[in-house]
Amino acid sequence: MGVRSGDDPGGEPDRDDERVLGAIAVRLRGAGPAAAPGRLCAVAVDLLPVDGASVSLRGDSMPLRLAASGDVAARLAELQATLGDGPCHHVLHTGAPVLARDLTDAACAERWPVFAQQALGSGVRAVYALPLGSTAVCVGTLDLYSASPGSLTAHELHVALLVAGVMTVALADLPNDTRDAGEGWLSGLATGHDRVHQAVGMIMAQLGVGADEALARLRGDAFAHDLTVLEAALDVVARRRRFDTP
């Protein structure tokens, strides 16, 4: 967990930015394109008073987890994709940060009842979700998870936004790097996304419902069986699970 700074950002913000960007540069040194998002999640945990971080990309039907700092962060990112709910989804829809300082608050429980319950069960009390991209186009989210309730100070939020900015640049460069063509994270994400779409199409045919209803059924089935939505989709595609039979 990173060390919490004081509320006063100090009199030399430019020098502090240099320190933060220097720490990011050290973490990224020698990293290939596929490793950069994971290392940026790790540096976010080093620099901020959080216990985990994940990054997800906007998908056609759901966010796609790209990297996480650990198992809990990875699980919560996958949970949001499976539920179709949570801070990540709000950021993707609005392009504005979500700073949930205490998931035990009634407002959080009402806003994200299942996600809040599951996150609390995983030992997470606060979630800070930040948009990746420009003010016009949100391409993904950087989600930060803390075991302790509380707000980010203005300085800490500034540092988090610096990390999100570097993450955005790293993601923008990834598709242009031919070293990952046909393999690695990009093809893996595309394959997973295709399997979800294929499963949705099969459920549509089995039940005679539209795409939104089919995706909702897939998400509900995944959650009921403690699977990610991709794992549930693979069961449907492999014909281990049908929706037109009891």
Side-chain angles (χ1 to χ4, degrees), residues 9-51:
E12 301 181 33
D14 291 341
R15 181 170 295 179
D16 194 61
D17 284 2
E18 289 177 6
R19 178 187 65 82
V20 171
L21 293 172
I24 292 172
V26 168
R27 275 284 192 166
L28 290 179
R29 189 173 297 151
R39 292 201 185 186
L40 286 168
C41 286
V43 81
V45 176
D46 287 344
L47 293 172
L48 294 162
V50 299
D51 300 282

Side-chain angles (χ1 to χ4, degrees), residues 131-132 160-170:
L132 303 177
L161 291 171
L162 279 178
V163 176
V166 175
M167 184 79 79
T168 298
V169 172

Side-chain angles (χ1 to χ4, degrees), residues 146-171:
S146 175
S148 302
S151 301
L152 294 177
T153 66
H155 172 68
E156 289 160 356
L157 180 57
H158 177 71
V159 171
L161 291 171
L162 279 178
V163 176
V166 175
M167 184 79 79
T168 298
V169 172
L171 297 182

Side-chain angles (χ1 to χ4, degrees), residues 26 43 49 78-79 128 132-134 145 151 162 173 178 187 223 234:
V26 168
V43 81
E78 293 287 357
L79 179 67
Y128 317 111
L132 303 177
S134 67
Y145 309 95
S151 301
L162 279 178
D173 286 344
T178 57
S187 61
F223 184 72
L234 292 174

Side-chain angles (χ1 to χ4, degrees), residues 43-70:
V43 81
V45 176
D46 287 344
L47 293 172
L48 294 162
V50 299
D51 300 282
S54 65
V55 57
S56 297
L57 298 179
R58 178 189 293 277
D60 292 339
S61 55
M62 65 178 192
L64 307 170
R65 178 176 64 83
L66 176 56
S69 63

Side-chain angles (χ1 to χ4, degrees), residues 33-34 174-188:
L174 279 170
N176 299 321
D177 193 305
T178 57
R179 289 174 294 175
D180 279 342
E183 61 182 356
W185 75 271
L186 187 58
S187 61

